[in-house]
Amino acid sequence: MNQTLTPCPNYIAGEWLTPSGPTTPVYNPSTGDVIAECPAGGAAEVGDAVAAAAAAFPGWSETPAVERARVFFRFRQLIEQNYDKLCVTVSREHGKTLSEARGDVHRGLENVEYACGVPTLLFGDTLENLARGVDCETLNQPLGVCAGITPFNFPAMVPLWMYPLAIACGNTFVLKPSEKVPLTAILLGQLLEQAGLPKGVFNIVHGGRPCVDALLTHPKVRAVSFVGSTPIAKYIYETGTRNGKRVQANGCAKNYIVIMPDADIGKTVEALSTAAFGCAGERCMAGSTALTVGAAAERLLPDLIAAAKAIKVGRTDQPAQPDMGPVITAAHRDRVLSLVATGESEGAKIIADGRGARVPDAPRGFYLGATIVDGVEANMTLAREEVFGPVLNVMRMGDLDAAITQANASAFGNGAAIFTSSGRAAREFKHRVKAGMVGINVGVPATMAMFPFTGWDDSFYGDLHIQGKEAVQCYTQQKVITSRWFGGDVGDVWKK
Ligand code: NAD
């Protein structure tokens, strides 16, 4: 269907500019229609954006923290006022349901709220009389130009993980959003402009690898925040640090959910179904593998299969909403299908098969139904690779010890969860499991803005995580001042 394309400009030095040159298509995954053309920028656009950010830094970094915070109070209000428009934009370019889009925007909004607290977040430490008459204090000062490179799966939340806090801390910023979902980033940028942010403090440059490489090697970029897949996260970390930048880079995940025989099965089915199939499985915190312990499988699977089969797939760009929308592209759908086929050929059994999902009024949409694969073994591809689609693996474990060993064998370490009514089992699990975010009877233990998003192993490269106090540290550098004052006229006044 022919429709008007949504403009997709860069935002540089306070100007919305549509460059001429190559573009990549942005789809409405619900229909397969192209809805925008994303500029494929490179070193020239990045150079302009970094120059604008560098020029804005002296003025912005000298702006008192309370004044900087006020911009984010206004930004917060504007996000609330434009909530529906933002959610429709997220849903239209990503394909998640409106209710999932609300979650995406809401989690982002919480990060803006966190950034509003920057005057206290920037507090330093002091110690009086470090030695006699000598005092010590720390200051947390901004770095300069920071950059953010973001994935497709949370068009609002992930960029909002980064720039509100970085900018509130006194830095200036260049965002390179995912070329698959650039429109939400633009809408948020327009709101930030309306909130009164001075020109050049925030910039958006669209593109793919050439843009990323220009940011990673630009001498004026001081820090890079990245979220995306592990091979690219590793590349970003290695290239960015080699070029002298501070880097935090989040990667892929394979999150295990242990179900003990004593778990509340009704609640577990509900949580597992949301964890595995929410956002069509395109979440780095998706619960992609159920490790059923002992008799848990027999208690769990009939209801879980029924829940998966009841999930209605459909287009999310209409007022009537389905339970689950499409995945991001046709290529991604085909990759997921091929991983499921590999699982089958390696001996796993498909017990809920969503591969034939069709949506009659949108035959070119990128749909997959909820799929459950049973009998997955440790040596199978499905047990190792991130699928990033609505596919739940089931691995049957003899006991909790075996389940923890399996979870810990993963190269990734983003999230892990346990469902049980035993405090002892929960305690054992939280103590031993090798993952940065752990849920106890919570299927998606994604942390909120005030806590760091603590991926481990191949899920994270860097030292300081996104969100919370670690992010404040990442976007600031500490200065320690040691001072003493010698006697003299003024000092003598104090003498008794
Ligand atoms: P992706 O790695 O393909 O892309 C992420 C960003 O990197 C995009 O902006 C893209 O333009 C850029 N990029 C892609 N290829 C590049 C290359 N060769 N060189 C330089 N830059 C490149 O990821 P995606 O498909 O957009 O997002 C899904 C992935 O993100 C999943 O693996 C998911 O687990 C991960 N993710 C992780 C977290 C987390 O916090 N750990 C959160 C959300 C998503």
Side-chain angles (χ1 to χ4, degrees), residues 357-400:
R358 298 284 175 272
V359 175
D361 61 337
R364 292 188 303 116
F366 313 137
Y367 296 101
L368 282 170
T371 299
I372 304 179
V373 188
D374 194 8
V376 173
E377 300 286 344
N379 58 353
M380 293 182 184
T381 310
L382 276 178
R384 287 193 313 273
E385 284 207 21
E386 182 189 57
V387 177
F388 223 57
V391 178
L392 175 68
N393 298 330
V394 178
M395 300 179 78
R396 296 175 184 235
M397 300 285 127
D399 55 24
L400 177 59

mmCIF file of all heavy atoms in Angstrom, residues 357-400:
data_model
loop_
_atom_site.group_PDB
_atom_site.id
_atom_site.type_symbol
_atom_site.label_atom_id
_atom_site.label_comp_id
_atom_site.label_asym_id
_atom_site.label_seq_id
_atom_site.Cartn_x
_atom_site.Cartn_y
_atom_site.Cartn_z
ATOM 1 N N ALA A 357 1.519 -18.986 12.007
ATOM 2 C CA ALA A 357 0.632 -17.848 12.323
ATOM 3 C C ALA A 357 0.384 -16.978 11.082
ATOM 4 O O ALA A 357 1.323 -16.601 10.385
ATOM 5 C CB ALA A 357 1.268 -16.995 13.419
ATOM 6 N N ARG A 358 -0.878 -16.709 10.818
ATOM 7 C CA ARG A 358 -1.244 -15.848 9.683
ATOM 8 C C ARG A 358 -2.218 -14.787 10.176
ATOM 9 O O ARG A 358 -3.077 -15.065 11.023
ATOM 10 C CB ARG A 358 -1.950 -16.638 8.567
ATOM 11 C CG ARG A 358 -1.113 -17.723 7.944
ATOM 12 C CD ARG A 358 -0.053 -17.158 6.969
ATOM 13 N NE ARG A 358 0.817 -18.224 6.482
ATOM 14 C CZ ARG A 358 1.948 -18.645 7.072
ATOM 15 N NH1 ARG A 358 2.348 -18.088 8.201
ATOM 16 N NH2 ARG A 358 2.663 -19.621 6.568
ATOM 17 N N VAL A 359 -2.103 -13.603 9.621
ATOM 18 C CA VAL A 359 -3.037 -12.530 9.969
ATOM 19 C C VAL A 359 -3.692 -12.118 8.641
ATOM 20 O O VAL A 359 -3.077 -11.434 7.820
ATOM 21 C CB VAL A 359 -2.279 -11.369 10.650
ATOM 22 C CG1 VAL A 359 -3.207 -10.195 10.913
ATOM 23 C CG2 VAL A 359 -1.641 -11.862 11.952
ATOM 24 N N PRO A 360 -4.939 -12.554 8.401
ATOM 25 C CA PRO A 360 -5.537 -12.410 7.074
ATOM 26 C C PRO A 360 -5.571 -10.979 6.544
ATOM 27 O O PRO A 360 -5.328 -10.764 5.360
ATOM 28 C CB PRO A 360 -6.959 -12.958 7.265
ATOM 29 C CG PRO A 360 -6.876 -13.826 8.461
ATOM 30 C CD PRO A 360 -5.793 -13.277 9.333
ATOM 31 N N ASP A 361 -5.817 -9.986 7.434
ATOM 32 C CA ASP A 361 -5.884 -8.628 6.888
ATOM 33 C C ASP A 361 -4.505 -7.969 6.777
ATOM 34 O O ASP A 361 -4.410 -6.793 6.434
ATOM 35 C CB ASP A 361 -6.860 -7.747 7.681
ATOM 36 C CG ASP A 361 -6.455 -7.604 9.138
ATOM 37 O OD1 ASP A 361 -5.715 -8.485 9.636
ATOM 38 O OD2 ASP A 361 -6.856 -6.617 9.774
ATOM 39 N N ALA A 362 -3.443 -8.700 7.083
ATOM 40 C CA ALA A 362 -2.093 -8.147 6.919
ATOM 41 C C ALA A 362 -1.162 -9.279 6.474
ATOM 42 O O ALA A 362 -0.249 -9.684 7.206
ATOM 43 C CB ALA A 362 -1.615 -7.528 8.234
ATOM 44 N N PRO A 363 -1.360 -9.776 5.263
ATOM 45 C CA PRO A 363 -0.611 -10.965 4.840
ATOM 46 C C PRO A 363 0.891 -10.734 4.703
ATOM 47 O O PRO A 363 1.657 -11.695 4.695
ATOM 48 C CB PRO A 363 -1.240 -11.310 3.481
ATOM 49 C CG PRO A 363 -1.933 -10.063 3.022
ATOM 50 C CD PRO A 363 -2.311 -9.307 4.245
ATOM 51 N N ARG A 364 1.315 -9.457 4.616
ATOM 52 C CA ARG A 364 2.764 -9.211 4.457
ATOM 53 C C ARG A 364 3.439 -8.810 5.775
ATOM 54 O O ARG A 364 4.595 -8.405 5.813
ATOM 55 C CB ARG A 364 2.991 -8.136 3.383
ATOM 56 C CG ARG A 364 2.606 -8.623 1.967
ATOM 57 C CD ARG A 364 2.997 -7.634 0.877
ATOM 58 N NE ARG A 364 2.401 -6.321 1.100
ATOM 59 C CZ ARG A 364 3.106 -5.213 1.351
ATOM 60 N NH1 ARG A 364 4.410 -5.265 1.405
ATOM 61 N NH2 ARG A 364 2.495 -4.065 1.551
ATOM 62 N N GLY A 365 2.685 -8.893 6.891
ATOM 63 C CA GLY A 365 3.263 -8.579 8.204
ATOM 64 C C GLY A 365 4.226 -9.691 8.637
ATOM 65 O O GLY A 365 4.200 -10.802 8.097
ATOM 66 N N PHE A 366 5.053 -9.371 9.644
ATOM 67 C CA PHE A 366 6.146 -10.291 10.026
ATOM 68 C C PHE A 366 5.743 -11.116 11.256
ATOM 69 O O PHE A 366 6.280 -10.918 12.344
ATOM 70 C CB PHE A 366 7.409 -9.480 10.310
ATOM 71 C CG PHE A 366 7.722 -8.446 9.248
ATOM 72 C CD1 PHE A 366 8.134 -7.166 9.608
ATOM 73 C CD2 PHE A 366 7.602 -8.751 7.894
ATOM 74 C CE1 PHE A 366 8.432 -6.209 8.642
ATOM 75 C CE2 PHE A 366 7.895 -7.804 6.914
ATOM 76 C CZ PHE A 366 8.305 -6.524 7.293
ATOM 77 N N TYR A 367 4.812 -12.041 11.064
ATOM 78 C CA TYR A 367 4.195 -12.699 12.221
ATOM 79 C C TYR A 367 4.774 -14.071 12.540
ATOM 80 O O TYR A 367 5.163 -14.831 11.660
ATOM 81 C CB TYR A 367 2.689 -12.837 11.978
ATOM 82 C CG TYR A 367 2.010 -11.506 11.891
ATOM 83 C CD1 TYR A 367 1.672 -10.958 10.654
ATOM 84 C CD2 TYR A 367 1.757 -10.760 13.046
ATOM 85 C CE1 TYR A 367 1.088 -9.703 10.574
ATOM 86 C CE2 TYR A 367 1.170 -9.508 12.964
ATOM 87 C CZ TYR A 367 0.845 -8.988 11.723
ATOM 88 O OH TYR A 367 0.274 -7.746 11.654
ATOM 89 N N LEU A 368 4.745 -14.353 13.828
ATOM 90 C CA LEU A 368 5.080 -15.672 14.367
ATOM 91 C C LEU A 368 4.166 -15.875 15.570
ATOM 92 O O LEU A 368 3.910 -14.920 16.301
ATOM 93 C CB LEU A 368 6.516 -15.686 14.909
ATOM 94 C CG LEU A 368 7.666 -15.800 13.932
ATOM 95 C CD1 LEU A 368 8.969 -15.532 14.671
ATOM 96 C CD2 LEU A 368 7.694 -17.204 13.333
ATOM 97 N N GLY A 369 3.719 -17.082 15.789
ATOM 98 C CA GLY A 369 2.907 -17.342 16.972
ATOM 99 C C GLY A 369 3.764 -17.867 18.114
ATOM 100 O O GLY A 369 4.949 -18.220 17.925
ATOM 101 N N ALA A 370 3.168 -17.921 19.307
ATOM 102 C CA ALA A 370 3.895 -18.422 20.476
ATOM 103 C C ALA A 370 4.254 -19.897 20.268
ATOM 104 O O ALA A 370 3.401 -20.710 19.903
ATOM 105 C CB ALA A 370 3.031 -18.245 21.721
ATOM 106 N N THR A 371 5.516 -20.200 20.519
ATOM 107 C CA THR A 371 6.038 -21.547 20.240
ATOM 108 C C THR A 371 6.748 -22.085 21.480
ATOM 109 O O THR A 371 7.507 -21.348 22.125
ATOM 110 C CB THR A 371 7.029 -21.465 19.044
ATOM 111 O OG1 THR A 371 6.306 -20.991 17.912
ATOM 112 C CG2 THR A 371 7.675 -22.800 18.737
ATOM 113 N N ILE A 372 6.475 -23.344 21.801
ATOM 114 C CA ILE A 372 7.193 -23.965 22.933
ATOM 115 C C ILE A 372 7.925 -25.208 22.410
ATOM 116 O O ILE A 372 7.337 -26.039 21.705
ATOM 117 C CB ILE A 372 6.228 -24.376 24.066
ATOM 118 C CG1 ILE A 372 5.405 -23.160 24.522
ATOM 119 C CG2 ILE A 372 7.002 -24.968 25.242
ATOM 120 C CD1 ILE A 372 4.395 -23.470 25.628
ATOM 121 N N VAL A 373 9.193 -25.290 22.736
ATOM 122 C CA VAL A 373 10.021 -26.413 22.291
ATOM 123 C C VAL A 373 10.455 -27.199 23.522
ATOM 124 O O VAL A 373 11.156 -26.661 24.391
ATOM 125 C CB VAL A 373 11.259 -25.911 21.513
ATOM 126 C CG1 VAL A 373 11.996 -27.092 20.895
ATOM 127 C CG2 VAL A 373 10.860 -24.920 20.435
ATOM 128 N N ASP A 374 10.039 -28.435 23.592
ATOM 129 C CA ASP A 374 10.350 -29.284 24.761
ATOM 130 C C ASP A 374 11.555 -30.186 24.452
ATOM 131 O O ASP A 374 11.912 -30.365 23.285
ATOM 132 C CB ASP A 374 9.111 -30.142 25.083
ATOM 133 C CG ASP A 374 9.211 -30.791 26.460
ATOM 134 O OD1 ASP A 374 10.149 -30.457 27.219
ATOM 135 O OD2 ASP A 374 8.348 -31.626 26.774
ATOM 136 N N GLY A 375 12.148 -30.690 25.502
ATOM 137 C CA GLY A 375 13.243 -31.650 25.331
ATOM 138 C C GLY A 375 14.508 -31.009 24.789
ATOM 139 O O GLY A 375 15.322 -31.671 24.131
ATOM 140 N N VAL A 376 14.682 -29.726 25.051
ATOM 141 C CA VAL A 376 15.923 -29.072 24.614
ATOM 142 C C VAL A 376 17.054 -29.570 25.525
ATOM 143 O O VAL A 376 16.888 -29.660 26.743
ATOM 144 C CB VAL A 376 15.777 -27.527 24.672
ATOM 145 C CG1 VAL A 376 17.099 -26.836 24.382
ATOM 146 C CG2 VAL A 376 14.691 -27.064 23.697
ATOM 147 N N GLU A 377 18.167 -29.916 24.902
ATOM 148 C CA GLU A 377 19.322 -30.423 25.661
ATOM 149 C C GLU A 377 20.469 -29.410 25.586
ATOM 150 O O GLU A 377 20.529 -28.599 24.656
ATOM 151 C CB GLU A 377 19.804 -31.757 25.064
ATOM 152 C CG GLU A 377 18.759 -32.868 25.064
ATOM 153 C CD GLU A 377 18.505 -33.462 26.453
ATOM 154 O OE1 GLU A 377 19.354 -33.233 27.353
ATOM 155 O OE2 GLU A 377 17.473 -34.138 26.624
ATOM 156 N N ALA A 378 21.364 -29.523 26.564
ATOM 157 C CA ALA A 378 22.438 -28.525 26.707
ATOM 158 C C ALA A 378 23.269 -28.348 25.443
ATOM 159 O O ALA A 378 23.763 -27.255 25.176
ATOM 160 C CB ALA A 378 23.337 -28.926 27.868
ATOM 161 N N ASN A 379 23.422 -29.429 24.646
ATOM 162 C CA ASN A 379 24.307 -29.317 23.475
ATOM 163 C C ASN A 379 23.587 -28.770 22.241
ATOM 164 O O ASN A 379 24.169 -28.632 21.176
ATOM 165 C CB ASN A 379 24.914 -30.682 23.150
ATOM 166 C CG ASN A 379 23.837 -31.722 22.874
ATOM 167 O OD1 ASN A 379 22.635 -31.445 23.046
ATOM 168 N ND2 ASN A 379 24.248 -32.901 22.444
ATOM 169 N N MET A 380 22.301 -28.443 22.354
ATOM 170 C CA MET A 380 21.557 -27.992 21.169
ATOM 171 C C MET A 380 21.732 -26.486 20.945
ATOM 172 O O MET A 380 21.934 -25.718 21.892
ATOM 173 C CB MET A 380 20.061 -28.293 21.342
ATOM 174 C CG MET A 380 19.745 -29.772 21.349
ATOM 175 S SD MET A 380 17.946 -29.993 21.501
ATOM 176 C CE MET A 380 17.863 -31.780 21.596
ATOM 177 N N THR A 381 21.573 -26.098 19.686
ATOM 178 C CA THR A 381 21.720 -24.692 19.314
ATOM 179 C C THR A 381 20.739 -23.814 20.109
ATOM 180 O O THR A 381 21.096 -22.726 20.578
ATOM 181 C CB THR A 381 21.425 -24.530 17.803
ATOM 182 O OG1 THR A 381 22.201 -25.506 17.111
ATOM 183 C CG2 THR A 381 21.756 -23.139 17.302
ATOM 184 N N LEU A 382 19.510 -24.306 20.272
ATOM 185 C CA LEU A 382 18.492 -23.523 20.981
ATOM 186 C C LEU A 382 18.868 -23.238 22.434
ATOM 187 O O LEU A 382 18.384 -22.282 23.031
ATOM 188 C CB LEU A 382 17.144 -24.246 20.953
ATOM 189 C CG LEU A 382 16.273 -24.058 19.713
ATOM 190 C CD1 LEU A 382 14.997 -24.878 19.839
ATOM 191 C CD2 LEU A 382 15.933 -22.597 19.465
ATOM 192 N N ALA A 383 19.702 -24.102 23.021
ATOM 193 C CA ALA A 383 20.102 -23.890 24.414
ATOM 194 C C ALA A 383 21.190 -22.829 24.519
ATOM 195 O O ALA A 383 21.426 -22.287 25.599
ATOM 196 C CB ALA A 383 20.603 -25.200 25.021
ATOM 197 N N ARG A 384 21.844 -22.552 23.415
ATOM 198 C CA ARG A 384 22.981 -21.621 23.464
ATOM 199 C C ARG A 384 22.666 -20.243 22.910
ATOM 200 O O ARG A 384 23.055 -19.231 23.475
ATOM 201 C CB ARG A 384 24.157 -22.206 22.656
ATOM 202 C CG ARG A 384 24.865 -23.355 23.300
ATOM 203 C CD ARG A 384 26.172 -23.620 22.564
ATOM 204 N NE ARG A 384 26.001 -23.646 21.104
ATOM 205 C CZ ARG A 384 25.656 -24.726 20.403
ATOM 206 N NH1 ARG A 384 25.463 -25.868 21.027
ATOM 207 N NH2 ARG A 384 25.523 -24.664 19.091
ATOM 208 N N GLU A 385 21.979 -20.224 21.778
ATOM 209 C CA GLU A 385 21.828 -18.948 21.063
ATOM 210 C C GLU A 385 20.619 -18.150 21.513
ATOM 211 O O GLU A 385 19.562 -18.722 21.792
ATOM 212 C CB GLU A 385 21.693 -19.221 19.559
ATOM 213 C CG GLU A 385 23.016 -19.564 18.963
ATOM 214 C CD GLU A 385 23.110 -19.226 17.493
ATOM 215 O OE1 GLU A 385 22.336 -18.380 17.005
ATOM 216 O OE2 GLU A 385 23.975 -19.831 16.851
ATOM 217 N N GLU A 386 20.796 -16.842 21.547
ATOM 218 C CA GLU A 386 19.644 -15.982 21.810
ATOM 219 C C GLU A 386 18.722 -16.052 20.584
ATOM 220 O O GLU A 386 19.170 -15.834 19.455
ATOM 221 C CB GLU A 386 20.121 -14.538 22.014
ATOM 222 C CG GLU A 386 18.991 -13.587 22.348
ATOM 223 C CD GLU A 386 19.434 -12.118 22.341
ATOM 224 O OE1 GLU A 386 19.935 -11.650 21.317
ATOM 225 O OE2 GLU A 386 19.277 -11.469 23.381
ATOM 226 N N VAL A 387 17.440 -16.364 20.802
ATOM 227 C CA VAL A 387 16.501 -16.478 19.675
ATOM 228 C C VAL A 387 15.837 -15.124 19.396
ATOM 229 O O VAL A 387 15.639 -14.729 18.267
ATOM 230 C CB VAL A 387 15.439 -17.564 19.972
ATOM 231 C CG1 VAL A 387 14.421 -17.646 18.841
ATOM 232 C CG2 VAL A 387 16.121 -18.922 20.186
ATOM 233 N N PHE A 388 15.475 -14.417 20.423
ATOM 234 C CA PHE A 388 14.860 -13.090 20.323
ATOM 235 C C PHE A 388 13.552 -13.135 19.542
ATOM 236 O O PHE A 388 13.257 -12.286 18.692
ATOM 237 C CB PHE A 388 15.848 -12.094 19.692
ATOM 238 C CG PHE A 388 15.868 -10.769 20.395
ATOM 239 C CD1 PHE A 388 16.148 -10.689 21.743
ATOM 240 C CD2 PHE A 388 15.586 -9.589 19.717
ATOM 241 C CE1 PHE A 388 16.160 -9.464 22.401
ATOM 242 C CE2 PHE A 388 15.592 -8.362 20.357
ATOM 243 C CZ PHE A 388 15.877 -8.308 21.703
ATOM 244 N N GLY A 389 12.751 -14.151 19.829
ATOM 245 C CA GLY A 389 11.426 -14.287 19.223
ATOM 246 C C GLY A 389 10.527 -15.006 20.215
ATOM 247 O O GLY A 389 10.977 -15.402 21.304
ATOM 248 N N PRO A 390 9.251 -15.223 19.847
ATOM 249 C CA PRO A 390 8.298 -15.807 20.805
ATOM 250 C C PRO A 390 8.453 -17.321 20.930
ATOM 251 O O PRO A 390 7.548 -18.085 20.593
ATOM 252 C CB PRO A 390 6.945 -15.416 20.203
ATOM 253 C CG PRO A 390 7.201 -15.329 18.740
ATOM 254 C CD PRO A 390 8.618 -14.869 18.566
ATOM 255 N N VAL A 391 9.619 -17.733 21.384
ATOM 256 C CA VAL A 391 9.943 -19.159 21.464
ATOM 257 C C VAL A 391 10.437 -19.471 22.875
ATOM 258 O O VAL A 391 11.389 -18.849 23.346
ATOM 259 C CB VAL A 391 11.051 -19.529 20.441
ATOM 260 C CG1 VAL A 391 11.418 -20.998 20.557
ATOM 261 C CG2 VAL A 391 10.613 -19.176 19.024
ATOM 262 N N LEU A 392 9.768 -20.407 23.527
ATOM 263 C CA LEU A 392 10.189 -20.811 24.871
ATOM 264 C C LEU A 392 10.749 -22.234 24.806
ATOM 265 O O LEU A 392 10.090 -23.157 24.332
ATOM 266 C CB LEU A 392 8.977 -20.786 25.826
ATOM 267 C CG LEU A 392 9.249 -21.292 27.246
ATOM 268 C CD1 LEU A 392 10.187 -20.347 27.998
ATOM 269 C CD2 LEU A 392 7.939 -21.440 28.022
ATOM 270 N N ASN A 393 11.970 -22.402 25.266
ATOM 271 C CA ASN A 393 12.565 -23.747 25.369
ATOM 272 C C ASN A 393 12.187 -24.344 26.701
ATOM 273 O O ASN A 393 12.138 -23.624 27.707
ATOM 274 C CB ASN A 393 14.093 -23.681 25.379
ATOM 275 C CG ASN A 393 14.657 -23.093 24.111
ATOM 276 O OD1 ASN A 393 14.064 -23.220 23.056
ATOM 277 N ND2 ASN A 393 15.812 -22.461 24.238
ATOM 278 N N VAL A 394 11.994 -25.657 26.730
ATOM 279 C CA VAL A 394 11.820 -26.348 28.005
ATOM 280 C C VAL A 394 12.958 -27.361 28.144
ATOM 281 O O VAL A 394 13.200 -28.168 27.244
ATOM 282 C CB VAL A 394 10.461 -27.078 28.075
ATOM 283 C CG1 VAL A 394 10.329 -27.822 29.405
ATOM 284 C CG2 VAL A 394 9.307 -26.082 27.895
ATOM 285 N N MET A 395 13.679 -27.257 29.264
ATOM 286 C CA MET A 395 14.743 -28.226 29.555
ATOM 287 C C MET A 395 14.375 -28.882 30.878
ATOM 288 O O MET A 395 14.088 -28.191 31.851
ATOM 289 C CB MET A 395 16.101 -27.524 29.663
ATOM 290 C CG MET A 395 16.495 -26.794 28.393
ATOM 291 S SD MET A 395 18.096 -25.925 28.513
ATOM 292 C CE MET A 395 19.252 -27.264 28.316
ATOM 293 N N ARG A 396 14.392 -30.196 30.903
ATOM 294 C CA ARG A 396 13.963 -30.914 32.112
ATOM 295 C C ARG A 396 15.180 -31.252 32.972
ATOM 296 O O ARG A 396 16.123 -31.864 32.494
ATOM 297 C CB ARG A 396 13.186 -32.159 31.708
ATOM 298 C CG ARG A 396 11.899 -31.758 30.963
ATOM 299 C CD ARG A 396 11.168 -32.954 30.456
ATOM 300 N NE ARG A 396 10.007 -32.555 29.686
ATOM 301 C CZ ARG A 396 8.776 -32.960 29.942
ATOM 302 N NH1 ARG A 396 8.521 -33.766 30.953
ATOM 303 N NH2 ARG A 396 7.773 -32.579 29.160
ATOM 304 N N MET A 397 15.089 -30.847 34.233
ATOM 305 C CA MET A 397 16.213 -30.988 35.163
ATOM 306 C C MET A 397 15.830 -31.912 36.319
ATOM 307 O O MET A 397 14.678 -31.887 36.770
ATOM 308 C CB MET A 397 16.563 -29.611 35.748
ATOM 309 C CG MET A 397 16.953 -28.580 34.725
ATOM 310 S SD MET A 397 18.612 -28.882 34.113
ATOM 311 C CE MET A 397 18.341 -28.898 32.361
ATOM 312 N N GLY A 398 16.814 -32.672 36.797
ATOM 313 C CA GLY A 398 16.549 -33.609 37.900
ATOM 314 C C GLY A 398 16.378 -32.891 39.236
ATOM 315 O O GLY A 398 15.545 -33.268 40.063
ATOM 316 N N ASP A 399 17.192 -31.869 39.453
ATOM 317 C CA ASP A 399 17.105 -31.161 40.737
ATOM 318 C C ASP A 399 17.591 -29.721 40.574
ATOM 319 O O ASP A 399 18.041 -29.323 39.494
ATOM 320 C CB ASP A 399 17.904 -31.898 41.823
ATOM 321 C CG ASP A 399 19.349 -32.129 41.413
ATOM 322 O OD1 ASP A 399 19.848 -31.361 40.566
ATOM 323 O OD2 ASP A 399 19.984 -33.061 41.928
ATOM 324 N N LEU A 400 17.493 -28.975 41.655
ATOM 325 C CA LEU A 400 17.854 -27.549 41.599
ATOM 326 C C LEU A 400 19.327 -27.379 41.228
ATOM 327 O O LEU A 400 19.690 -26.483 40.470
ATOM 328 C CB LEU A 400 17.556 -26.890 42.957
ATOM 329 C CG LEU A 400 17.951 -25.422 43.089
ATOM 330 C CD1 LEU A 400 17.247 -24.541 42.061
ATOM 331 C CD2 LEU A 400 17.644 -24.906 44.498
#
